Amino acid sequence: MSPMVNSSNFKNNVNKPGKRKVHPVVPLLFVMILASLLILISSFVADVNSAMYQQQKEMQSIYDEQNSTQEQK
């Protein structure tokens, strides 16, 4: 036999003293701030990636120049 369940445990009691109302703008602001941070991080990573690619191109050109001068000798 299953135990009896009191349905009052499942009711949403609005008058609970510990429950605080959240202003509807607060979640929107949180999402906006989070989206802004993600955009900033994304642009920073893109800048770093671009700088690394540019440095790799420069190093490759230096390497190619050194190889071409060694082949000519």
Side-chain angles (χ1 to χ4, degrees):
M1 186 171 176
S2 64
M4 296 295 288
V5 177
N6 187 357
S7 65
S8 65
N9 293 336
F10 301 106
K11 290 182 183 176
N12 287 334
N13 191 357
V14 182
N15 297 329
K16 285 186 179 177
K19 185 81 173 170
R20 286 183 25 202
K21 282 280 194 175
V22 176
H23 198 275
V25 177
V26 172
L28 178 64
L29 287 175
F30 179 74
V31 169
M32 297 284 281
I33 291 170
L34 186 62
S36 302
L37 286 174
L38 290 175
I39 290 170
L40 287 172
I41 291 171
S42 175
S43 63
F44 175 75
V45 169
D47 288 343
V48 169
N49 193 19
S50 175
M52 288 177 63
Y53 178 74
Q54 187 66 29
Q55 185 179 15
Q56 183 182 11
K57 277 178 48 177
E58 291 172 4
M59 294 299 288
Q60 184 66 39
S61 65
I62 292 170
Y63 178 76
D64 291 342
E65 287 175 9
Q66 288 177 349
N67 279 348
S68 67
T69 56
Q70 286 180 357
E71 290 174 0
Q72 291 175 358
K73 290 183 180 180

